[in-house]
Amino acid sequence: QVQLVESGGGLVQAGGSLRLSCAASGSIFSGSTMGWYRQAPGKQRELVAFISGSRSTNYADSVKGRFIISRDIPKSTVYLQMNSLKLEDTAVYYCAAARGSLFRSPRDYWGQGIQVTVSS
């Protein structure tokens, strides 16, 4: 019923930038909290950032100052602008959404994931 589709991943050199997009469709509240997680090989999934319907944001310490999360509510799309990329940013990135608008990490709906690879 609810689908999240990521796009914009790929290969980028260290120090470069990349922007991920996540388009939501189906029966989901337009102001629901949405965000991004990532999982590197052999590592646990970790929260990267999330954003509320009122555009309040939260970032993991590891990406603070480098990544920016934003959203276009009319287009039901959330973005992750990734700057100053490091090798350790290499991971599969997952879009996520919550059923409601509470300001907490979203975990109710998930995209299939998209690969981001940072090379030296």
Side-chain angles (χ1 to χ4, degrees):
Q1 189 174 27
V2 174
Q3 294 187 75
L4 304 175
V5 180
E6 303 100 334
S7 62
L11 177 66
V12 65
Q13 290 189 348
S17 298
L18 206 61
R19 189 176 80 155
L20 304 182
S21 298
C22 173
S25 62
S27 185
I28 186 170
F29 174 53
S30 62
S32 66
T33 300
M34 298 182 68
W36 294 90
Y37 293 76
R38 68 186 182 186
Q39 188 165 24
K43 304 292 184 180
Q44 288 190 300
R45 183 196 67 185
E46 64 175 354
L47 177 70
V48 176
F50 64 90
I51 184 168
S52 72
S54 61
R55 296 183 176 86
S56 295
T57 59
N58 185 83
Y59 296 91
D61 288 341
S62 60
V63 307
K64 197 171 298 181
R66 299 190 297 122
F67 291 11
I68 301 171
I69 189 169
S70 62
R71 69 190 299 166
D72 185 332
I73 291 178
K75 294 183 178 180
S76 299
T77 301
V78 64
Y79 306 95
L80 185 68
Q81 178 67 45
M82 303 183 291
N83 301 313
S84 302
L85 283 161
K86 304 175 179 179
L87 293 178
E88 51 263 44
D89 293 320
T90 294
V92 175
Y93 284 70
Y94 296 90
C95 180
R99 291 187 178 94
S101 59
L102 295 178
F103 190 60
R104 58 181 60 179
S105 57
R107 301 175 182 179
D108 296 317
Y109 307 106
W110 297 88
Q112 67 179 6
I114 189 165
Q115 179 70 44
V116 172
T117 302
V118 183
S119 64
S120 62

